[in-house]
Amino acid sequence: MRTYTGDQRRAVAFGLGGLGAGHVALGADGALRQWQLHHRPNHRGFLPDSFFALRVSSIEPPGDVCRLLRSAPIAPHPHPAPNVNDDLVPDADHLPPWPTVESTEFSASYPFARVGYQDAALPVDVRLEAHTPFVPLDADASGLPLVSYVFAIRNRTAELRHGWLVASLQNATGWDGVAPIDGVRSPGYGGNVNRLLKRNGQSGVLMDNPALADGDPTAGEMLLWSDRPAAVLPRAGSAAETLRWAEAIKLVTPVQLWDFSRETIDRALESMPPTVRGAHGPSPAGQTWDAALAVPFVLAPGEETTIEVVHAWYFPNRYVDWDQFGPERPYGRSQLWLGTHYATRFGGALDVLDHYRANPRAGADWSTAVETLPEPLAEVISAQGTLVRSPTIFRTADGVVHGFEGGLGASTRNFDGDVGGSCPVDCNHVYNYEQALSRLFPQLGTSMRDTEWSIRAPEGYLPHRAVLPTWLPQLHGVEIGGPAAPALDGMLGAVLKTYRSVRDGAGLDWLRGHWPALRQLLDHVRDRWDADGDGVLRGQQPVTYDIALHGPNMFVGGLWLAALRAAEEMGRLLSEHTGADADRALFELARKGYDELLWNGEYYGQPTTGEAYDFGSGCLSDQLLGQWWANQLDLGHLLPGDRIRAALEAIVRYNLRTGFDDHGYRVFADGDETGLVVCSWPHGGRPEVPLRYCDEVWTGVEYTVAALCLAEGLDDQAGRIVTALRGRHDGERRNPFNEVECGDHYARAMAGWSLLDAFTGFRYSAVTRHLRVGAKPGTYPFVAGTGWGTFTVTEDDEVRLDVRGGELRTTTIELMR
């Protein structure tokens, strides 16, 4: 995995926290930022006085070195990237009053983030490994509201060293996740209580606010904990107070007796006189408390020790606090409670900790599996995990998963501010590109399908957004927003995503439950857009570009072809062969019609209609999205194979651009960067009102085109796209772990998962139990609905499976070369 040093650390912010359970980011400088524990996406959320520090002393003077375990803020880039703010250091001008380390280096292999600290004055080497448990297929094991920080400290000198690892955390109960906090002061604070926790050789501080009502959205608990006995400052009023305490604490008896045994140190901690008295009782109105642990260590020359610190939290109350779109609703000030799933599993932060302690290294197997991949593919697949567990995705108390398009941020302030979820919710046309969530956690993909089918209109169509709670009136017969009418591409994607869930193990009984709704939807599409019965969809077709296309086009047409093939396959699984034969016949008719109408010799265009936003002779990067879906579902070529390859070559030839000028829309690639634009007009004919967003660069679309190229043997083209994409997200101006579109951590970027199966050729159906791989000799990770692990292809064409989680029942294994 890539190591980030120097200026390439500037924008790195690695998300930590459980799936749907809150988020805090670890910067490559070692600082914590982007605190989003209270169910409100807020990329600028900052919790002061929450940091790590180190004091290292020696028996003989003058050895006593104190350092914050973070580097100094990196100077802003002379040309900051637009629409992002991961480089923001909220406390840049008021750091805690100890010196920073000279520098850091950062690397990550999801779910692990690693920081190395460099400082010539420190007599010890210090490394941090931070993670939150992550287990493919197990959403609960991957949904802990907790972060583990393990520090490794090694004495690199020739004399004994002793000291303290200091961990400070602010009690944020009562904070709304948005209001600025001045030290320990914020309007939501007051009545905060910090309680000393000691048990089983562990130390900690449990934090809450009993003054808050149980249903308050900011009510809950936080926990600062270490796996070792520690000096504890339960209540402090500032970072300066905490660090002054750390400067004054001492282990008198061990030093006097030269006895640094664990037992002696533990006794000294118990009898240590207070050096800073600290405060007592609940915090005053408008204020909270900080808490701190100082974990002692003693190291002989060359000796190393590890110290673990855990942050856990428990905020059970999620409410609908976002704009639901559609018409005004007569709910007034009513609060719509959704809850959060992890609160149904745990009674508080201590329960979360105890659950974690039973399997603290969950995630190591996935990390090592991904590391078998070549770069930059390993980096792409690793980073997909940060998208899945970002604030974009959440689980309500009933266990159902939902997702915003992204989190409001720098890219959305022009129209929607920068706090909250970007564009509600479960937007089916954006989630047409999502693969990482549904492949890593198939039961959550199935959950999203259940919601999607449950909100269909009586006429059979699907609105492209859900209103929560789903017992409220849905967006039927009203203008929705983004686009105004129900998105046709999202409806077709619902069919494809349903088949994906079936292949991933949802089962035929589950499919039977949704089959009538699926058939009604396909009938609606035919009646509404294929009135003449030739299989080609015409008329106003609302799509993911927040507009409607008019007339035949391969973007919608390809999804239609894939949906017909998927419906055919599902019908045969249900032994409904008459309907399946009809779907196949319509597919063949539609395939012929689209190919004849739209192929222009290089790629699939669109007849000129004169309507605003149509692309006409343009080369649309999304023109083969249906084929991308067909590849993942083993549906074969939807169109002639030679034309698919030719169209892909044209997309890369014309749309992969180096050098960008201002184009009047959102900028996701600029200057001399390289990126794949949404659409271009290589031979002229750009309409006066072109396709909306045509000049933008969307990573989700780049991933789909790259995966298509890999599937068609166009490895060079795929490599150029992925190299360009990751090059823009190199840490210097953009965060490698945050791909932005209409908001941070944008859901469309989860298309990157498809590169894994495109590269390895891995396909599995839990229904037929047929497994196919197409990789060259080597070892590769896989996730296959019911099981995950690695597979190895030997030089003599043997396929060996190492299932590390779940089970994978196979009837046949096919190796494709």
Side-chain angles (χ1 to χ4, degrees):
M1 294 293 180
R2 180 188 299 186
T3 297
Y4 299 86
T5 60
D7 284 355
Q8 286 195 326
R9 299 172 300 143
R10 180 184 288 110
V12 172
F14 184 92
L16 295 160
L19 196 162
H23 167 110
V24 59
L26 174 65
D29 59 357
L32 299 174
R33 53 185 66 114
Q34 298 176 12
W35 291 86
Q36 298 166 84
L37 310 183
H38 297 74
H39 317 304
R40 298 186 75 183
N42 175 24
H43 214 55
R44 296 197 295 164
F46 182 62
L47 197 57
D49 303 349
S50 301
F51 59 86
F52 301 104
L54 190 70
R55 176 185 170 197
V56 185
S57 303
S58 60
I59 302 299
E60 298 296 333
D64 189 76
V65 181
C66 296
R67 291 290 184 271
L68 296 176
L69 289 178
R70 61 182 289 180
S71 65
I74 301 168
H77 195 282
H79 303 289
N83 294 311
V84 297
N85 58 11
D86 288 288
D87 58 341
L88 175 68
V89 182
D91 59 346
D93 58 351
H94 50 278
L95 299 185
W98 274 10
T100 61
V101 297
E102 293 174 353
S103 188
T104 58
E105 63 178 26
F106 179 93
S107 63
S109 178
Y110 200 80
F112 296 95
R114 300 176 178 93
V115 180
Y117 306 90
Q118 292 93 37
D119 194 308
L122 274 175
V124 295
D125 294 322
V126 189
R127 305 183 310 277
L128 164 64
E129 182 179 81
H131 87 290
T132 302
F134 181 81
V135 182
L137 309 184
D138 191 337
D140 283 352
S142 305
L144 299 187
L146 170 148
V147 181
S148 164
Y149 307 89
V150 177
F151 291 88
I153 306 170
R154 185 183 70 85
N155 182 1
R156 65 168 182 255
T157 72
E159 59 182 282
L160 182 141
R161 301 285 180 174
H162 65 281
W164 308 85
L165 175 72
V166 180
S168 176
L169 180 66
Q170 185 166 107
N171 181 341
T173 56
W175 181 42
D176 63 8
V178 180
I181 305 172
D182 180 11
V184 295
R185 295 171 176 81
S186 187
Y189 286 156
N192 296 68
V193 173
N194 289 1
R195 298 179 176 87
L196 177 65
L197 171 69
K198 289 192 175 182
R199 58 175 190 166
N200 302 325
Q202 309 161 27
S203 302
V205 179
L206 185 63
M207 312 174 190
D208 65 359
N209 189 329
L212 298 172
D214 288 345
D216 192 293
T218 68
E221 294 180 348
M222 297 176 66
L223 175 66
L224 173 65
W225 172 92
S226 176
D227 64 344
R228 303 254 290 262
V232 181
L233 182 63
R235 289 165 291 277
S238 67
E241 183 180 339
T242 294
L243 292 177
R244 186 68 189 97
W245 166 75
E247 291 169 345
I249 54 178
K250 51 194 172 183
L251 293 173
V252 176
T253 302
V255 173
Q256 287 180 332
L257 301 180
W258 200 264
D259 179 0
F260 294 101
S261 65
R262 183 67 176 265
E263 293 77 10
T264 302
I265 291 175
D266 289 352
R267 287 196 300 271
L269 286 170
E270 290 291 335
S271 61
M272 181 184 299
T275 54
V276 172
R277 289 194 173 274
H280 295 277
S283 64
Q287 297 184 37
T288 188
W289 299 126
D290 299 334
L293 305 178
V295 184
F297 60 87
V298 178
L299 297 173
E303 188 177 5
E304 179 171 303
T305 190
T306 60
I307 299 171
E308 183 178 25
V309 175
V310 166
H311 293 164
W313 57 90
Y314 179 85
F315 292 99
N317 298 314
R318 177 187 282 273
Y319 292 87
V320 175
D321 58 2
W322 58 86
D323 297 326
Q324 296 256 42
F325 284 19
E328 290 292 329
R329 295 172 176 85
Y331 309 143
R333 296 180 181 273
S334 299
Q335 287 188 306
L336 297 171
W337 184 88
L338 300 173
T340 188
H341 177 62
Y342 72 72
T344 67
R345 302 174 54 217
F346 307 113
L350 279 174
D351 280 356
V352 175
L353 173 69
D354 290 341
H355 184 91
Y356 160 75
R357 298 260 305 158
N359 191 10
R361 290 287 294 175
D365 282 352
W366 175 247
S367 177
T368 56
V370 172
E371 288 173 353
T372 65
L373 295 168
E375 292 294 357
L377 180 59
E379 183 180 288
V380 170
I381 300 305
S382 180
Q384 291 285 296
T386 64
L387 286 164
V388 169
R389 298 208 298 188
S390 75
T392 297
I393 305 297
F394 61 96
R395 293 183 77 186
T396 48
D398 54 10
V400 175
V401 67
H402 299 283
F404 300 109
E405 293 184 29
L408 297 175
S411 64
T412 63
R413 290 183 68 179
N414 63 310
F415 79 102
D416 205 11
D418 62 0
V419 172
S422 172
C423 297
V425 69
D426 301 349
C427 180
N428 62 14
H429 60 72
V430 170
Y431 278 79
N432 265 3
Y433 298 76
E434 177 274 310
Q435 294 292 334
L437 174 68
S438 297
R439 295 301 311 283
L440 280 164
F441 302 104
Q443 72 273 37
L444 298 186
T446 300
S447 166
M448 293 193 88
R449 303 291 72 73
D450 290 337
T451 299
E452 189 167 42
W453 290 115
S454 74
I455 64 170
R456 73 186 185 280
E459 299 88 340
Y461 68 80
L462 300 177
H464 55 266
R465 303 187 190 281
V467 176
L468 298 186
T470 54
W471 46 259
L472 291 174
Q474 295 299 314
L475 297 168
H476 299 161
V478 299
E479 185 171 311
I480 299 175
L488 176 55
D489 55 339
M491 294 186 223
L492 298 173
V495 177
L496 299 168
K497 288 175 276 193
T498 297
Y499 187 37
R500 177 182 62 193
S501 289
V502 172
R503 288 172 57 88
D504 279 343
L508 296 186
D509 286 342
W510 177 83
L511 174 59
R512 288 187 186 95
H514 291 305
W515 189 243
L518 189 151
R519 296 308 317 182
Q520 185 188 20
L521 172 65
L522 290 175
D523 289 343
H524 172 80
V525 171
R526 291 193 63 182
D527 293 343
R528 172 69 177 79
W529 286 283
D530 182 26
D532 59 6
D534 66 352
V536 176
L537 307 185
R538 292 177 169 85
Q540 189 178 74
Q541 300 160 60
V543 292
T544 195
Y545 310 114
D546 297 340
I547 50 86
L549 296 172
H550 304 81
N553 66 89
M554 194 54 81
F555 172 58
V556 172
L559 291 169
W560 171 234
L561 294 175
L564 289 172
R565 281 285 293 112
E568 176 197 350
E569 295 296 327
M570 287 185 280
R572 298 199 190 285
L573 289 173
L574 297 177
S575 299
E576 296 194 3
H577 296 293
T578 300
D581 290 343
D583 288 331
R584 182 66 185 219
L586 183 57
F587 164 77
E588 295 292 351
L589 182 66
R591 170 165 65 174
K592 183 175 184 294
Y594 273 107
D595 190 54
E596 291 177 351
L597 276 170
L598 303 181
W599 180 250
N600 67 8
E602 287 186 289
Y603 55 85
Y604 290 96
Q606 181 191 27
T608 301
T609 65
E611 296 279 358
Y613 302 117
D614 279 1
F615 58 91
S617 62
C619 182
L620 182 69
S621 289
D622 256 340
Q623 64 188 267
L624 295 175
L625 186 67
Q627 185 59 57
W628 176 75
W629 265 106
N631 289 350
Q632 294 170 87
L633 300 178
D634 259 348
L635 299 176
H637 277 159
L638 305 176
L639 299 156
D642 58 339
R643 292 188 174 182
I644 290 172
R645 286 185 290 276
L648 284 169
E649 290 173 330
I651 291 168
V652 177
R653 180 167 61 250
Y654 295 134
N655 293 358
L656 188 62
R657 177 183 303 169
T658 298
F660 290 83
D661 297 322
D662 181 27
H663 52 71
Y665 265 83
R666 300 167 302 187
V667 175
F668 305 121
D670 63 338
D672 61 357
E673 292 179 323
T674 299
L676 190 81
V677 297
V678 168
C679 189
S680 71
W681 286 264
H683 307 301
R686 178 176 172 130
E688 183 177 346
V689 182
L691 180 74
R692 195 176 189 187
Y693 311 127
C694 60
D695 299 312
E696 295 184 359
V697 173
W698 293 354
T699 62
V701 174
E702 290 180 296
Y703 283 134
T704 64
V705 174
L708 280 161
C709 287
L710 285 175
E712 296 298 328
L714 302 176
D715 293 3
D716 176 68
Q717 289 89 331
R720 288 165 56 199
I721 294 170
V722 176
T723 298
L725 188 161
R726 298 311 296 176
R728 298 195 308 272
H729 296 80
D730 66 353
E732 189 165 346
R733 299 173 74 233
R734 294 183 183 85
N735 185 0
F737 310 104
N738 178 21
E739 294 171 47
V740 175
E741 195 187 306
C742 187
D744 293 289
H745 305 290
Y746 199 73
R748 199 186 316 265
M750 285 190 271
W753 180 266
S754 65
L755 290 174
L756 175 61
D757 290 345
F759 179 78
T760 64
F762 191 97
R763 299 287 186 274
Y764 176 75
S765 170
V767 181
T768 64
R769 300 184 182 180
H770 179 71
L771 170 65
R772 176 172 66 82
V773 299
K776 298 175 182 178
T779 297
Y780 312 93
F782 72 85
V783 180
T786 60
W788 75 274
T790 60
F791 72 93
T792 299
V793 179
T794 68
E795 293 290 345
D796 57 358
D797 289 347
E798 182 183 358
V799 179
R800 299 173 182 165
L801 294 176
D802 178 12
V803 179
R804 302 186 183 185
E807 61 179 3
L808 197 67
R809 298 178 179 177
T810 57
T811 302
T812 56
I813 299 178
E814 180 183 6
L815 177 62
M816 304 290 290
R817 289 291 193 177

